[in-house]
Amino acid sequence: VHFVESGGGSVQAGGSLRLSCAVSGDTFSRLCMAWFRAIPGAERERVAAIDRDGTTSYVDSVKGRFTISKDAAKNTLYLQMNSLKPEDTAMYYCGADPNTDFCTVLPGYYIGLDFWGAGIQVTISS
């Protein structure tokens, strides 16, 4: 599975960005897909996931502000980020896997994605 991420950048707090992740190399409809993020020196953390049937999940820190979606016609995963905060500053990664049993970022579940994009920087200034 291969990814081309785009849409990152720098905005002021309260602004919006939309990340895109074009996916190739596997049947799009088979994939569990998710967005993670990481700051330097910290482990990658979950943000949002979308299952094959469109079921979505979010971590509490982004719920109500971020929306994960996908467009099967374009083989593209999205993350619409609104009301951005300085603490959202991170490198954002899209990930996918056709074999994930639990396609969710909810606590207590291991999403287990094996395929990752290179990451895209998002910087929010106060």
Side-chain angles (χ1 to χ4, degrees):
V1 183
H2 304 283
F3 308 89
V4 177
E5 296 153 314
S6 61
S10 299
V11 297
Q12 290 191 322
S16 298
L17 285 172
R18 188 176 81 157
L19 304 183
S20 299
C21 178
V23 182
S24 62
D26 202 322
T27 303
F28 190 77
S29 61
R30 298 178 59 222
L31 296 172
C32 163
M33 292 179 284
W35 291 97
F36 277 53
R37 64 187 180 186
I39 60 175
E43 289 188 5
R44 199 173 295 186
E45 66 174 14
R46 307 172 178 198
V47 176
I50 186 165
D51 207 342
R52 294 82 164 181
D53 65 356
T55 301
T56 60
S57 58
Y58 302 89
V59 295
D60 286 346
S61 60
V62 307
K63 200 173 294 183
R65 300 188 299 122
F66 290 12
T67 302
I68 188 171
S69 63
K70 58 182 178 178
D71 185 335
K74 296 181 179 180
N75 281 10
T76 300
L77 174 71
Y78 300 101
L79 185 68
Q80 177 67 44
M81 305 186 292
N82 299 328
S83 302
L84 284 160
K85 303 175 181 180
E87 51 263 44
D88 294 318
T89 295
M91 186 76 78
Y92 283 71
Y93 299 87
C94 62
D97 200 295
N99 300 313
T100 304
D101 290 329
F102 301 106
C103 189
T104 178
V105 294
L106 295 180
Y109 293 93
Y110 176 64
I111 192 169
L113 303 180
D114 284 340
F115 303 98
W116 293 96
I120 190 164
Q121 180 67 37
V122 170
T123 303
I124 312 303
S125 58
S126 57

